[in-house]
């Protein structure tokens, strides 16, 4: 990197910022900060971020990934719940990249409903404990997001990208598939974080469907079926769906209307299969 190149944060800068803010990373908030510039640039590259695009970042922390996004001339909307981090981030970015386009929104990523712009990508190092609900929340409420990449706990990432029939296929797999195509895009070493986590991380890419499968009403009905099917995943659908339909007789009738064998288990069904059950459930009301 030449002297004229924008600077990114390294281990020393991360620790200095943490000391400045009197910040002790907490497991509760999933605070593991990326300290390796090469990893940051790799994330931005794999995410496919283009100059001039508006990107939303969730949980920017001390700004490692934020600076990687602004380095390629993306306009960044950063959503940060921690007031100290939210207040410091503009100063950090301004000091290292004075011309960067950054807006910081102090809000809870689990409940935020509006943004000052229409991001076309989501790129984030998501806190391990809320990564799936945050991803699904943003896909639900911000339709301008067409694609993106998130770094999550490896176990969670594999679950998100799992296919029917695999042991790790479950509710997150189906719900993510409702919105788009999901795939894993490479592992991330524990050593690029401070503090070093006790779990492995993975990159997960997604591309939104050109059109959602159906209406919000149908999605809610479908997701209710999905949750019930995997709550008792070893049971046949006619049994696992009793909480939704009341008894095996009604569950069987809905499944047969959807063209799904009542003796199958949830782990064998595709997202379109669940969608048909959701439609049949509404027709049954």
């Amino acid at each position: 990197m030449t002297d004229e190149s924008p600077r990114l944060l390294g281990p020393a800068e991360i620790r200095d910022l943490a000391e400045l803010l009197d910040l002790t990373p907490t497991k509760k908030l999933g605070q593991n900060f990326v300290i390796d510039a090469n990893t940051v640039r790799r994330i931005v590259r794999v995410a496919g971020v283009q100059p001039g695009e508006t990107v939303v970042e969730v949980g920017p922390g001390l700004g490692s990934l934020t600076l990687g996004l602004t380095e390629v001339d993306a306009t960044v909307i950063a959503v940060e719940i921690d007031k100290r981090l939210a207040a410091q981030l503009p100063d950090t970015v301004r000091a290292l990249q004075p011309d960067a386009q950054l807006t910081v929104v102090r809000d809870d990523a689990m409940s935020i409903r509006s943004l000052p712009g229409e991001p076309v990508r989501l790129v984030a190092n998501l806190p391990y404990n809320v990564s799936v609900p945050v991803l699904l929340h943003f896909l639900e409420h911000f339709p301008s997001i067409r694609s993106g990449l998130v770094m999550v706990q490896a176990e969670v990432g594999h679950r998100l990208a799992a296919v029917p029939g695999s042991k790790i296929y479950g509710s997150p797999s189906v719900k993510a598939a409702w919105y788009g195509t999901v795939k894993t895009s490479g592992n991330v070493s524990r050593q690029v974080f401070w503090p070093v986590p006790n779990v492995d991380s993975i990159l997960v890419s997604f591309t939104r469907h050109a059109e959602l499968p159906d209406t919000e009403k149908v999605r809610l009905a479908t997701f209710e079926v999905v949750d019930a099917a995997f709550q008792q995943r070893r049971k046949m659908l006619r049994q696992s769906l009793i909480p939704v339909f009341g008894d095996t007789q009604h569950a069987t009738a809905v499944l047969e209307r959807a063209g799904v064998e009542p003796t199958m288990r949830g782990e064998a069904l595709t997202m379109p299969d669940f969608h048909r059950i959701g439609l049949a459930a509404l027709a049954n009301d």
Side-chain angles (χ1 to χ4, degrees), residues 17-205:
L17 280 169
E19 185 177 351
L20 172 68
L21 298 173
D22 191 24
L23 175 71
T24 301
T26 67
K27 283 188 177 181
K28 180 181 178 182
L29 294 178
Q31 291 174 324
N32 296 94
F33 303 114
V34 180
I35 60 174
D36 179 64
N38 288 331
T39 298
V40 168
R41 291 192 173 103
R42 174 188 168 206
I43 291 171
V44 174
R45 183 178 68 254
V46 175
V49 178
Q50 300 298 311
E53 284 185 342
T54 298
V55 177
V56 61
E57 180 188 7
V58 176
L62 294 172
S64 300
L65 181 54
T66 312
L67 286 160
L69 294 166
T70 55
E71 183 182 49
V72 297
D73 295 326
T75 296
V76 178
I77 302 170
V79 180
E80 176 58 64
I81 192 173
D82 187 304
K83 63 180 181 181
R84 294 172 299 173
L85 295 174
Q88 176 61 39
L89 184 59
D91 293 340
T92 300
V93 172
R94 195 177 304 116
L96 299 181
Q97 298 180 24
D99 297 326
Q101 299 297 309
L102 170 68
T103 301
V104 179
V105 178
R106 190 186 159 209
D107 208 334
D108 185 348
M110 293 280 285
S111 58
I112 189 170
R113 294 296 181 93
S114 64
L115 292 169
E118 293 195 340
V120 296
R121 293 185 201 271
L122 166 65
V123 184
N125 171 21
L126 292 178
Y128 292 154
N129 52 344
V130 294
S131 53
V132 171
V134 165
L135 175 59
L136 293 176
H137 177 83
F138 272 74
L139 288 172
E140 176 185 350
H141 293 288
F142 300 104
S144 64
I145 296 173
R146 308 310 306 171
S147 64
L149 180 141
V150 293
M151 180 159 55
V152 298
Q153 182 178 342
E155 181 183 350
V156 172
H158 285 300
R159 254 190 255 134
L160 279 167
V163 296
S166 68
K167 292 182 179 179
I168 57 173
Y169 181 70
S171 178
S173 323
V174 181
K175 291 179 179 180
W178 176 274
Y179 295 104
T181 303
V182 182
K183 66 177 183 178
T184 58
S185 295
N187 299 317
V188 179
S189 168
R190 299 184 186 192
Q191 302 307 313
V192 305
F193 296 97
W194 175 75
V196 177
N198 57 6
V199 294
D200 294 317
S201 298
I202 199 168
L203 302 178
V204 175
S205 302

Side-chain angles (χ1 to χ4, degrees), residues 244-257:
V244 179
F245 301 116
D247 54 43
T248 56
Q249 182 179 353
H250 286 97
T252 298
V254 172
L255 289 164
E256 289 177 344
R257 189 181 301 118

